[in-house]
Amino acid sequence: MRNLNLLFFLLLALHLSSVLSWKKDEFRNCNQTPFCKRARARKPGSCSLIARDVTISDGDLVAKLLPKNPANEEDRDEIKPLILSLSVYQDGILRLKIDEDPSLGPPKKRFEVPDVIVPEFSSKKLWLHRLSTETINGDAVPSSVVYLSNGYEAVLRHDPFEVYVREKGSGHRVISLNSHGLFDFEQLKSKGEGEDWEERFRGHTDRRPYGPQSISFDVSFYSADFVYGIPEHATSLSLKPTRGPGVEDSEPYRLFNLDVFEYIHDSPFGLYGSIPFMISHGKSLGTTGFFWLNAAEMQIDVMGAGWDAESGISLPSEKSRIDTFWMSEAGIVDAFFFVGPGPKDVVRQYTSVTGLPPMPQLFATAYHQCRWNYRDEEDVDHVDSKFDEHDIPYDVLWLDIEHTDGKRYFTWDKMLFPHPEEMQRKLAAKGRHMVTIVDPHIKRDESYHVHKEATQKGYYVKDANGNDFDGWCWPGSSSYPDILNPEIRSWWADRFSFENYVGTTPSLYIWNDMNEPSVFNGPELTMPRDSLHYGGVENRELHNAYGYYFHMATADGLVKRGEGKDRPFVLSRAFFAGSQRYGAVWTGDNSAEWDHLRVSVPMILTLGLTGMSFSGADVGGFFGNPEPELLVRWYQLGAFYPFFRGHAHQDTKRREPWLFGERNTELIRDAIHIRYMLLPYFYTLFREASTSGVPVVRPLWMEFPYEEATFSNDEAFMVGNSILVQGIYTEKAKHASVYLPGRQSWYDLRTGTSYKGGMTHKLRISEDSVPAFQRSGTIIPRKDRFRRSSTQMVNDPYTLVIALNSSRAAEGELYVDDGKSFDFEHGTYIHRRFVFSDGKLTSVNMAPTSPGKSRFSLEAVVERIILLGHPHGHKSALIEPTNHKVDVELGPLGLQWGGSSAVVTIRKPGVQIADDWTIKIL
Ligand code: NOJ
């Protein structure tokens, strides 16, 4: 009976949530979150801690933090000092840890997130040997100063306690912690008689067995014009103040992984993933970063100028300083300061801690077609053949939850999908792949082998009473694997073997959804905070990393399945710092609205800044039915997302690209074609991301860090360093204002028309495309022939588009490997650098050439070279080393684009893409 009631409640809730918009009341705001409310009530200067017993130990600076003047003498014995350590790593990285003193017998060890910091990071530690002290600004007690890198030092101010990084020489502060004295650390306690620590929210009780255990502190960024980062929120790229004079909607940015139905497009509310990493940028000092490795709920305030007017605290760089306030419910302080000084330096520093995104398979960088749900095999076949009929390439067909036998993952509905292997093989014959969904909620059904095994082995997360946690999700009553446990991760990974996941073939990959985790009848639609994971870790401590571990275990499973020879592809909805190592993410359940199209750009840019380079938004919007114009504009913009997938809710009308009349089909085909043309460029950018952390799509200021006009621009973005894309976010738009940065000119990607840099252009726009430009001084590799899928384009010839700058020079790169295996890790790839100067194009090898390394062989040739900004009139070009001449003529910029002016073209130069050669224009 209880179950029936629950089922009714669930169905009602689901129904309501599909017809109503975001239900704010389902979720806690700061005032309803006691740790947030307490922290926000603190006044600047209320921290009374000072650093004592400062020494060097094991290469770190260590100290004790204790109150300067305990309230009364008896309290002295009660004082439990905190232990602080400061460590320095190569490349200007400072790490600060603060925790309880284990020798004082806390009731339990506080949770320190394992498995996020990459193992190599520890070898970058610089061992401190010597401590210097310095009296700064007349302080009564000297501060400790440690070397950080060539240009920077770290300072531990003892009294009052403060940590900061300063420039050597000038002494200018770069970033600091506790400068406003807001630091607070609630130590664990054992419950005394009659103490009530329970917290209640909408009928749920959190027992909080260790009492309040939150941590909060202020962080200041100096000479900063803006701060960015801390996804996931549907909001602007530069983070607006959440507190201070004139701030009305006073909620902090929340980091708490939640399944939010129909989220709104402009809110600090926390969505599916959390990365507690913030970046500041300013024109004078450059870029700095701050990362707090902590997986508990976090709330972050960005303080508006003047918020501390009454505090009496006056810090240097008053004008261009941005203060922030960080609050977390549990865990420890494990914080990293990155000194930059450039935007790409900060991203490199952050990914040296949390890891680089790996090289995806080529197919994963192409277009994906998804829908909740493709009904059955016939539907799959139909959709697949329609793409061919309409000459639209696509690489992956996705199956959502309805393909399973009653939402039992790793199974197939036998009526609808009786021949899954044959279905996949048919797709594979056209070079196409399939993705199926595997969620973490396991149906509690004795006859379901996964549940049976997990129960027998004791592999589920426990509730506060120690029983298997039982929550509601798609299959009804469900339990959730305790994925923090490495043994359980390994078991989960094995579920993906071809023997265990019956009906799968090597062309099938995985989608992990609902892994926040989503629990329909849980507090805020998730797992209760007092539920228990491996090692007695409470969900409150681990929550934001739960989905991360799923992503990790699933990706490991696919690597195992392919015997270490096949790169995995796993899309995850939840994420945490470090998730970039396991695959792609998307921005969840957006809506078919222009505002959601608009906000997809800052959301993806923010993800890229925080390591998650491989991300996208559901093209078309998940909820609702887009007008054809919106759908077309979404394809035109989405073609430039790193992860490009169309997806829709099951209640929406079908919206495959050919369903909106011939003209719209043509426009969508064109948008998808652009992506396929640019795949060589995209793949090269994925390589760059996998070696440097620099994201595939970037905010303009990452490429133009000195141009203030770019700092808060989140309507446009850069794809790599060479293409600028401006979205169109309104209906029937006839004009767009586009700011083109830099001193050099830009070339319209389709027409070749050139535009001056360093100014805003008011452009007439058509329905054909969104404005996109190639930056002069760059060379873009393209493939201009369209096939059914990216894998069928492998041997196709290349086009090189050279956009000359005012010195008639340009540079670009091309990276190619087999698109599938890990052989590239042993040097089996092609990496070319193209340089154009003095009228000559040179192709230079960038790949290792050491003997014994097998070279990646590719027969593809260069079929066309296009020169933008080159004077007409030249007749021929000389190719070396073959010493032959070819004609220089005028030709189209894109083979299928009408309306473009004729551009200087070298057709059929007859050179192999993999070889060294030069082409001199005569
Ligand atoms: C929620 C996901 O965000 C959505 O993309 C998916 O279609 C549904 N779950 C059903 O699996």
Side-chain angles (χ1 to χ4, degrees):
M1 189 62 194
R2 186 176 152 260
N3 278 359
L4 275 179
N5 283 343
L6 268 173
L7 184 61
F8 173 71
F9 161 79
L10 172 71
L11 289 175
L12 184 73
L14 278 179
H15 174 70
L16 285 180
S17 54
S18 63
V19 287
L20 299 174
S21 60
W22 184 46
K23 294 221 287 310
K24 208 172 171 180
D25 295 346
E26 287 272 359
F27 305 103
R28 308 208 295 190
N29 60 29
C30 177
N31 259 334
Q32 295 163 320
T33 308
F35 83 87
C36 189
K37 193 173 174 187
R38 282 197 303 281
R40 266 187 155 192
R42 286 169 64 79
K43 296 266 173 297
S46 55
C47 169
S48 68
L49 297 177
I50 57 168
R52 284 262 185 86
D53 303 344
V54 184
T55 54
I56 298 285
S57 163
D58 277 344
D60 296 330
L61 178 154
V62 292
K64 286 187 172 161
L65 289 182
L66 65 177
K68 184 171 186 176
N69 301 310
N72 46 54
E73 270 313 300
E74 302 88 75
D75 289 349
R76 261 191 202 286
D77 299 338
E78 296 283 295
I79 292 173
K80 291 189 181 165
L82 295 165
I83 305 293
L84 169 150
S85 73
L86 268 183
S87 331
V88 171
Y89 294 81
Q90 283 166 20
D91 202 14
I93 301 174
L94 178 72
R95 181 178 189 180
L96 168 70
K97 282 179 100 168
I98 302 176
D99 196 357
E100 301 189 20
D101 183 345
S103 67
L104 300 176
K108 87 171 211 173
K109 188 177 163 354
R110 297 176 73 113
F111 183 59
E112 203 173 318
V113 196
D115 311 306
V116 167
I117 300 179
V118 291
E120 312 83 84
F121 183 64
S122 59
S123 65
K124 297 190 177 142
K125 180 165 149 173
L126 302 177
W127 284 64
L128 300 174
H129 297 290
R130 207 167 44 85
L131 186 69
S132 8
T133 53
E134 185 183 317
T135 302
I136 300 172
N137 292 339
D139 278 354
V141 182
S143 298
S144 303
V145 179
V146 294
Y147 166 89
L148 182 53
S149 72
N150 276 340
Y152 302 92
E153 289 165 328
V155 178
L156 170 68
R157 194 175 177 204
H158 300 189
D159 181 6
F161 154 60
E162 186 186 5
V163 173
Y164 61 90
V165 174
R166 67 180 186 192
E167 275 187 339
K168 248 191 192 154
S170 75
H172 286 149
R173 284 168 174 239
V174 176
I175 180 168
S176 69
L177 183 141
N178 201 34
S179 306
H180 284 89
L182 284 168
F183 182 88
D184 188 39
F185 193 119
E186 297 174 326
Q187 302 207 27
L188 301 183
K189 288 188 274 184
S190 302
K191 207 162 175 177
E193 272 295 293
E195 263 177 307
D196 178 15
W197 290 340
E198 291 186 350
E199 278 178 17
R200 285 162 206 88
F201 179 69
R202 288 176 67 94
H204 297 277
T205 302
D206 168 7
R207 299 195 193 164
R208 298 208 311 162
Y210 303 99
Q213 48 178 300
S214 72
I215 303 172
S216 48
F217 49 78
D218 53 285
V219 174
S220 298
F221 298 89
Y222 297 78
S223 302
D225 294 326
F226 291 100
V227 287
Y228 312 90
I230 55 167
E232 183 174 38
H233 307 99
T235 189
S236 53
L237 174 66
S238 65
L239 297 169
K240 292 178 279 230
T242 53
R243 249 173 96 182
V247 177
E248 275 163 29
D249 185 13
S250 179
E251 277 299 307
Y253 292 100
R254 186 178 191 198
L255 292 182
F256 193 58
N257 293 3
L258 289 175
D259 178 3
V260 188
F261 275 103
E262 301 203 338
Y263 61 79
I264 48 175
H265 73 273
D266 186 14
S267 162
F269 189 78
L271 301 177
Y272 315 91
S274 298
I275 303 182
F277 171 42
M278 188 180 273
I279 297 177
S280 79
H281 182 70
K283 59 190 171 302
S284 53
L285 257 187
T287 322
T288 53
F290 178 78
F291 167 48
W292 184 5
L293 176 53
N294 181 308
E297 175 177 2
M298 211 180 273
Q299 301 266 5
I300 303 165
D301 270 317
V302 174
M303 315 301 248
W307 72 277
D308 58 343
E310 271 139 46
S311 68
I313 292 174
S314 109
L315 285 175
S317 319
E318 188 66 46
K319 275 209 200 97
S320 53
R321 198 187 69 235
I322 298 183
D323 298 323
T324 58
F325 183 46
W326 299 60
M327 310 160 252
S328 168
E329 190 189 0
I332 64 163
V333 177
D334 191 0
F336 298 77
F337 302 76
F338 307 109
V339 299
K344 294 182 186 174
D345 300 319
V346 169
V347 173
R348 182 188 64 241
Q349 287 152 0
Y350 170 73
T351 51
S352 76
V353 179
T354 60
L356 291 161
M359 242 354 246
Q361 293 216 19
L362 175 65
F363 82 78
T365 69
Y367 176 63
H368 301 248
Q369 182 65 35
C370 187
R371 165 165 194 92
W372 177 14
N373 215 79
Y374 286 121
R375 277 186 316 270
D376 51 22
E377 287 175 4
E378 204 185 313
D379 198 8
V380 167
D381 209 39
H382 172 79
V383 170
D384 180 64
S385 58
K386 281 281 177 190
F387 270 96
D388 295 338
E389 191 183 314
H390 291 280
D391 215 1
I392 304 175
Y394 89 99
D395 268 64
V396 194
L397 201 126
W398 291 54
L399 293 182
D400 208 321
I401 47 177
E402 315 298 335
H403 82 275
T404 58
D405 171 14
K407 322 293 185 306
R408 293 170 187 84
Y409 303 105
F410 308 104
T411 68
W412 301 86
D413 181 317
K414 291 211 171 55
M415 298 295 286
L416 303 175
F417 294 92
H419 314 105
E421 297 187 5
E422 199 185 313
M423 170 177 67
Q424 291 156 53
R425 274 196 277 273
K426 267 201 207 154
L427 293 176
K430 297 178 186 173
R432 290 178 178 150
H433 296 77
M434 177 158 261
V435 166
T436 54
I437 196 164
V438 174
D439 289 355
H441 43 257
I442 305 296
K443 185 173 170 70
R444 294 186 59 80
D445 165 3
E446 291 309 321
S447 62
Y448 176 32
H449 64 282
V450 180
H451 171 63
K452 219 164 132 189
E453 207 177 321
T455 312
Q456 277 162 4
K457 295 185 178 222
Y459 277 177
Y460 285 135
V461 174
K462 304 285 180 280
D463 64 20
N465 298 319
N467 303 318
D468 284 351
F469 171 73
D470 181 346
W472 280 77
C473 210
W474 300 130
S477 172
S478 307
S479 287
Y480 296 71
D482 187 0
I483 206 80
L484 177 63
N485 182 339
E487 177 187 325
I488 301 173
R489 285 208 292 281
S490 166
W491 168 79
W492 180 259
D494 288 339
R495 299 309 94 212
F496 295 92
S497 71
F498 297 119
E499 302 77 63
N500 286 333
Y501 192 171
V502 176
T504 58
T505 67
S507 65
L508 179 137
Y509 295 84
I510 301 297
W511 174 16
N512 279 169
D513 187 19
M514 315 293 276
N515 50 344
E516 296 73 26
S518 177
V519 180
F520 295 153
N521 60 343
E524 302 191 89
L525 275 91
T526 192
M527 197 174 263
R529 288 160 201 252
D530 53 7
S531 41
L532 293 167
H533 301 257
Y534 175 58
V537 173
E538 282 192 284
N539 191 56
R540 94 183 64 253
E541 301 172 285
L542 167 76
H543 179 83
N544 285 345
Y546 185 77
Y548 164 82
Y549 280 106
F550 253 92
H551 202 182
M552 173 196 288
T554 305
D556 285 351
L558 293 191
V559 175
K560 269 195 194 172
R561 177 191 81 165
E563 293 167 355
K565 295 194 188 102
D566 190 51
R567 293 179 224 167
F569 172 76
V570 184
L571 178 77
S572 172
R573 192 171 69 177
F575 56 84
F576 186 61
S579 286
Q580 67 268 18
R581 307 207 295 271
Y582 304 111
V585 297
W586 92 110
T587 61
D589 299 346
N590 59 359
S591 301
E593 291 164 22
W594 289 93
D595 285 336
H596 276 260
L597 171 64
R598 169 79 182 81
V599 81
S600 70
V601 172
M603 289 178 83
I604 289 167
L605 292 175
T606 301
L607 286 166
L609 283 174
T610 54
M612 295 299 318
S613 181
F614 199 5
S615 73
D618 284 347
V619 169
F622 178 69
F623 288 113
N625 295 304
E627 288 300 317
E629 187 186 353
L630 173 60
L631 185 67
V632 167
R633 289 294 188 210
W634 215 316
Y635 269 100
Q636 291 172 342
L637 186 80
F640 295 97
Y641 292 162
F643 174 62
F644 179 28
R645 183 185 76 155
H647 182 40
H649 188 280
Q650 62 174 350
D651 294 344
T652 61
K653 294 189 198 131
R654 293 291 285 242
R655 57 163 93 138
E656 285 71 38
W658 47 88
L659 293 175
F660 301 89
E662 226 170 278
R663 178 64 183 144
N664 289 315
T665 307
E666 190 184 343
L667 291 169
I668 295 174
R669 178 194 301 119
D670 227 36
I672 297 179
H673 274 174
I674 291 225
R675 173 56 165 244
Y676 277 78
M677 262 177 130
L678 292 173
L679 280 178
Y681 178 62
F682 268 94
Y683 199 64
T684 305
L685 294 175
F686 275 96
R687 165 72 179 184
E688 183 187 358
S690 74
T691 51
S692 68
V694 176
V696 170
V697 302
R698 325 170 174 168
L700 303 189
W701 57 264
M702 192 166 232
E703 290 297 327
F704 299 91
Y706 301 106
E707 266 194 68
E708 272 180 83
T710 65
F711 291 179
S712 61
N713 184 337
D714 57 12
E715 293 198 351
F717 57 92
M718 295 294 297
V719 180
N721 72 352
S722 310
I723 295 178
L724 181 148
V725 179
Q726 165 83 41
I728 298 298
Y729 308 111
T730 49
E731 225 176 328
K732 301 195 176 66
K734 295 275 175 293
H735 293 96
S737 291
V738 186
Y739 179 73
L740 295 174
R743 295 212 186 93
Q744 298 284 340
S745 51
W746 296 78
Y747 294 90
D748 184 294
L749 216 55
R750 295 164 64 98
T751 63
T753 311
S754 90
Y755 295 91
K756 260 186 148 172
M759 59 183 286
T760 301
H761 296 267
K762 190 164 180 208
L763 303 177
R764 268 192 71 79
I765 49 165
S766 73
E767 61 176 6
D768 294 348
S769 63
V770 294
F773 306 86
Q774 181 173 350
R775 180 181 182 177
S776 60
T778 64
I779 301 180
I780 293 178
R782 287 192 337 208
K783 283 195 175 185
D784 291 1
R785 305 188 181 189
F786 303 117
R787 313 268 176 202
R788 287 173 163 167
S789 61
S790 70
T791 41
Q792 294 196 334
M793 294 164 69
V794 166
N795 293 312
D796 280 354
Y798 288 86
T799 294
L800 299 178
V801 185
I802 305 178
L804 297 175
N805 63 17
S806 53
S807 324
R808 299 246 174 94
E811 286 183 12
E813 286 183 21
L814 171 71
Y815 172 85
V816 195
D817 60 22
D818 67 11
K820 268 192 82 56
S821 78
F822 291 97
D823 290 356
F824 70 98
E825 289 180 350
H826 310 290
T828 313
Y829 58 82
I830 293 168
H831 197 172
R832 309 298 306 180
R833 178 163 195 76
F834 307 112
V835 180
F836 189 93
S837 67
D838 301 324
K840 189 164 92 179
L841 174 65
T842 308
S843 172
V844 189
N845 182 33
M846 289 177 73
T849 49
S850 44
K853 289 214 159 142
S854 60
R855 215 183 128 179
F856 175 61
S857 71
L858 178 70
E859 290 308 311
V861 297
V862 177
E863 69 173 342
R864 286 196 310 153
I865 294 169
I866 291 170
L867 287 140
L868 299 170
H870 196 279
H872 297 189
H874 293 262
K875 289 278 174 283
S876 60
L878 175 69
I879 322 279
E880 297 285 11
T882 48
N883 191 21
H884 71 282
K885 278 191 188 168
V886 291
D887 291 344
V888 174
E889 52 197 52
L890 291 183
L893 178 51
L895 292 180
Q896 329 226 337
W897 295 328
S900 69
S901 46
V903 285
V904 177
T905 304
I906 304 171
R907 277 196 57 226
K908 297 208 164 54
V911 290
Q912 293 284 330
I913 196 75
D915 291 348
D916 293 345
W917 39 256
T918 61
I919 300 177
K920 174 137 186 78
I921 302 199
L922 301 174

